[in-house]
Amino acid sequence: YFDSVPQAPADGILKLSVMSKADTNSKKVDLGVGAYRTDEGKPWVLPVVRKAEQRMAQDPAANHEYLTVGGLPALTNGAQTLIFGGDSAALKEKRVYTIQTISGTGANMVGAVFLKQFKRPDDAAVYISKPTWGNHRSIFQTAGHEVREYRYCDYQTLGLDIDGMLADLRAAPRAQIVVLHACAHNPTGIDPTPAQWAQIADVMQERGHFPFFDCAYQGFATGDVDRDAFAIRLFVDRGFELLVAESFAKNMGLYGERTGCLHAVVADPARVAAVSSQLNRLSRATISTAAAYGAKVAGTVLQDPELYGEWQQNMGEMSGRIMEMRRALRQRLEKLQTPGDWSHVTSQIGMFSFTGLSAAQVQRLREEFHMYLTDDGRISVAGLNSGNVDYVAMAIDAVVRAG
Amino acid sequence: MGPPDAILGITEAFKRDTDARKMNLGVGAYRTDAGKPYVLGAVQKAEASLLAQGLDKEYLPITGLARFTGAAAELAYGAGSSALGRLAITQSVSGTGALRIGGAFLQRFYGAQPTVYLPTPSWGNHAAVFRDSGLKVGSYRYYDPATRGLNLDAMLEDLRALPRGSIVLLHACAHNPTGVDPTAAQWAQIQRVVEEGEHLAFFDMAYQGFATGDADRDAAALRAFVAGGKAPVVLSQSFAKNMGLYGERVGTFSIVGADAAERDRLLSQLKILVRPLYSNPPVHGARIAAEVLTQPELRQEWLGEVKTMADRIIGMRQALRARLEQLGSAQSWAHITDQIGMFCFTGLKPEQV
């Protein structure tokens, strides 16, 4: 029966991880990992998360009962306030429905399936940035959409190709779906400035496009949740209807607990009930209900002012260390006078940085220097630390000079 | 506007009801004799132990926690099963997630426009899950309202009439919603017909241990099909009820391959299917389940608690039947104790409900 099932290609990032794990060289540096690491190179469970877990463990009423299909209110309500802001008109006007999901991927998929059923026109394509998170294309194609790209990364400057992006959004047919990274673009680290976001909103409005925000790094990018939500709030203020896929994997370090939400901002509050019924229906047919434990942790943190404040600090620690490593790497490359302009290392933001290294250079880094990063030249800045940043700079310098 | 969910809508209505006498006999979650949720002792201990270990929350692999899926496979198929060396298994978002992965897998690899046949009736969500994964949904007769038992003849007749190589969804034990399970002899007949029709057996096992109180007994039908070696077997396995892990979403989906090489190919395709759905599964519940299944003391305690839950349910069936008979009811209520598992098909009509 299954004779005809072919071997599927292995996931590229996983392959990298396997190679990295197998490498026993003492100088080995893993810059492929998509999870925060401490300066000691270790995973970090946020202290505020441990606190919340202890509190939960002491609750005599704690249980493992099913959540409702919509999810844990402490999480979904807290997440709404976090993303849209406490004074959001959309929230006051009750124009937002939020459903808990299996982290960001689950939110992207629920949104993708919903849009396939209800998008207008029914042949609207989904536009993703070039490049984007590897799973975006797969998610939207699996949901049955045609996927197209809009220019995003300027491969010369390693900054935003704003002209290319706006041109592509203008040239697209009217009323397409456009996936936008709210902050800390994955994989490039290149974010539009507020002024550029306004331009993007202008063009999206002109062309009647539908924004689908992917927000996996709120608070993780600048350390400031309001700043990191700027783009989403701008679009909401402009009156867009939109979806936001939100993940607590990185900003709360909840990765494997799979904690996330999908938010739908609807123009007419009278339509929210219908939207929520459809999102619930399709989530029920995929997972029934979402995972309780991580939601309870996140909900506990979001709803307690003291814990919330501590969380801000923990996020500040992560984003702060990342920014410090960016400065450290840039400074060393400039000191070594490594050919090229390395200002992008610090103008880019978030967990990832597009170095501009070629696939051949990346291969050399792997084989000669035991440094692991993806072929597109993306490094996980989280993998840098005070113990390896000198070595990394030296290795990059070597491969760049060799051409 | 979507319609209210057939099952979850009942709990919503229950919550809205202000009458002091109200009872929720709707949602499938175990309750103690005091009507409260029950966190199993083995689960509590496992969770406390895990908390004390201060583990990280890194992503699991796409196919989940190996310690969990390995132990789960042994529980379902039996420790000595030949299936274990050729089993493509992935952790899933509980039973629903497993059904969804299975549906997606079959949609992609099991011929053009495959149809899955469900017993009539079946769990309210089965049809939605399979349709949304792209399968067509058909049915075979199962429950006999006249006897409130199994209509085996009709079931076999319908299975015989299916196109060769159809997908047949079978409840491994504690049929939901009727509580009507085939006897061992009836299972043997069902197996023969499924094998003769060259059908694929898609087992949904959400109540292992919870039905008779004995995990091996409850898996007997699944294991017989595997031992038969003819019908391809896939399994959706849930730990929601038997470990009380409901909201933690703990389950597996597995395919019994021909050999280890086929298993590897199947696994590679399962990963491709899972990645866009949710990337990787939740870690918390899987760690608890792994601890319970692999720590001998916890496992013993767990099996005892599962038996206690099953016994309380059996006791309640006996008590309900006895009281109905005491009240002098004219009709037979034998089905209440003949049926098994969490649910009982009362025979009440919609107006009576």
Side-chain angles (χ1 to χ4, degrees), chain A residues 131-152:
Chain A
T132 191
W133 176 45
N135 213 7
H136 272 145
R137 177 177 287 277
S138 178
I139 290 168
F140 289 101
Q141 277 177 343
T142 300
H145 298 279
E146 185 195 335
V147 175
R148 300 186 190 147
E149 286 178 315
Y150 58 87
R151 278 171 286 172
Y152 191 79

Side-chain angles (χ1 to χ4, degrees), chain B residues 192-239:
Chain B
R192 208 158 35 242
V193 168
V194 168
E195 289 172 353
E196 276 162 9
E198 292 176 21
H199 302 315
L200 179 148
F202 194 143
F203 276 96
D204 185 348
M205 187 155 72
Y207 298 97
Q208 187 184 9
F210 204 97
T212 64
D214 180 328
D216 293 315
R217 260 181 83 185
D218 288 347
L222 167 71
R223 296 178 188 183
F225 271 69
V226 171
K230 298 204 181 76
V233 170
V234 310
L235 172 70
S236 157
Q237 178 185 30
S238 170
F239 288 87

Side-chain angles (χ1 to χ4, degrees), chain B residues 43-89:
Chain B
V43 166
Q44 271 175 339
K45 291 188 180 79
E47 204 169 15
S49 162
L50 288 166
L51 190 64
Q53 289 175 48
L55 301 169
D56 65 37
K57 294 184 184 303
E58 293 296 288
Y59 290 125
L60 286 176
I62 297 174
T63 51
L65 186 67
R67 238 178 102 229
F68 163 63
T69 51
E74 277 192 18
L75 180 73
Y77 293 95
S81 172
S82 73
L84 297 179
R86 51 197 170 97
L87 191 72
I89 184 165

Side-chain angles (χ1 to χ4, degrees), chain A residues 312-386:
Chain A
Q312 307 285 76
Q313 286 177 337
N314 290 172
M315 275 194 291
E317 203 179 310
M318 290 191 289
S319 63
R321 195 184 86 70
I322 299 253
M323 285 193 260
E324 209 192 296
M325 286 299 107
R326 287 180 176 279
R327 283 193 293 271
L329 179 61
R330 175 181 173 180
Q331 190 203 61
R332 278 154 182 73
L333 290 169
E334 287 173 349
K335 189 150 176 245
L336 290 168
Q337 297 187 312
T338 309
D341 178 350
W342 299 99
S343 58
H344 60 270
V345 174
T346 50
S347 56
Q348 289 167 3
I349 193 166
M351 195 175 298
F352 301 111
S353 178
F354 241 33
T355 56
L357 295 168
S358 68
Q361 290 168 330
V362 167
Q363 190 181 357
R364 237 197 107 196
L365 283 173
R366 191 168 61 240
E367 288 167 1
E368 262 182 65
F369 295 95
H370 305 273
M371 234 171 86
Y372 293 85
L373 56 149
T374 46
D375 289 341
D376 56 6
R378 180 194 85 164
I379 58 168
S380 169
V381 182
L384 287 175
N385 54 58
S386 54

Side-chain angles (χ1 to χ4, degrees), chain B residues 12-261:
Chain B
E12 282 155 28
F14 168 79
K15 284 190 178 133
R16 287 193 299 268
D17 191 329
T18 51
D19 192 303
R21 299 165 298 166
K22 71 178 178 178
M23 280 177 289
N24 188 353
L25 300 179
V27 176
Y30 182 80
R31 291 289 174 263
T32 63
D33 198 55
K36 298 269 178 274
Y38 175 49
V39 180
L40 277 64
V43 166
Q44 271 175 339
K45 291 188 180 79
E47 204 169 15
S49 162
L50 288 166
L51 190 64
Q53 289 175 48
L55 301 169
D56 65 37
K57 294 184 184 303
E58 293 296 288
Y59 290 125
L60 286 176
I62 297 174
T63 51
L65 186 67
R67 238 178 102 229
F68 163 63
T69 51
E74 277 192 18
L75 180 73
Y77 293 95
S81 172
S82 73
L84 297 179
R86 51 197 170 97
L87 191 72
I89 184 165
T90 177
Q91 186 182 334
S92 62
V93 182
S94 207
T96 305
L99 294 165
R100 186 58 187 251
I101 295 169
F105 174 83
L106 293 168
Q107 192 279 334
R108 190 169 282 186
F109 296 109
Y110 201 71
Q113 292 261 283
T115 306
V116 59
Y117 292 87
L118 309 177
T120 302
S122 194
W123 178 44
N125 207 16
H126 270 145
V129 173
F130 287 125
R131 273 202 194 98
D132 277 24
S133 54
L135 298 184
K136 297 215 292 270
V137 175
S139 64
Y140 57 88
R141 282 171 294 170
Y142 186 82
Y143 176 72
D144 185 348
T147 62
R148 298 184 182 105
L150 175 63
N151 188 344
L152 183 68
D153 289 342
M155 177 179 180
L156 297 179
E157 192 183 319
D158 285 356
L159 292 181
R160 281 196 190 95
L162 295 182
R164 192 145 289 274
S166 294
I167 302 162
V168 179
L169 189 290
L170 297 161
H171 296 228
C173 63
H175 183 272
N176 178 1
T178 68
V180 170
D181 281 355
T183 62
Q186 291 172 326
W187 267 122
Q189 291 183 267
I190 295 164
Q191 181 172 343
R192 208 158 35 242
V193 168
V194 168
E195 289 172 353
E196 276 162 9
E198 292 176 21
H199 302 315
L200 179 148
F202 194 143
F203 276 96
D204 185 348
M205 187 155 72
Y207 298 97
Q208 187 184 9
F210 204 97
T212 64
D214 180 328
D216 293 315
R217 260 181 83 185
D218 288 347
L222 167 71
R223 296 178 188 183
F225 271 69
V226 171
K230 298 204 181 76
V233 170
V234 310
L235 172 70
S236 157
Q237 178 185 30
S238 170
F239 288 87
K241 287 83 172 170
N242 62 9
M243 271 197 201
L245 287 175
Y246 306 101
E248 307 302 349
R249 319 310 289 126
V250 185
T252 72
F253 172 73
S254 54
I255 307 170
V256 181
D259 50 40

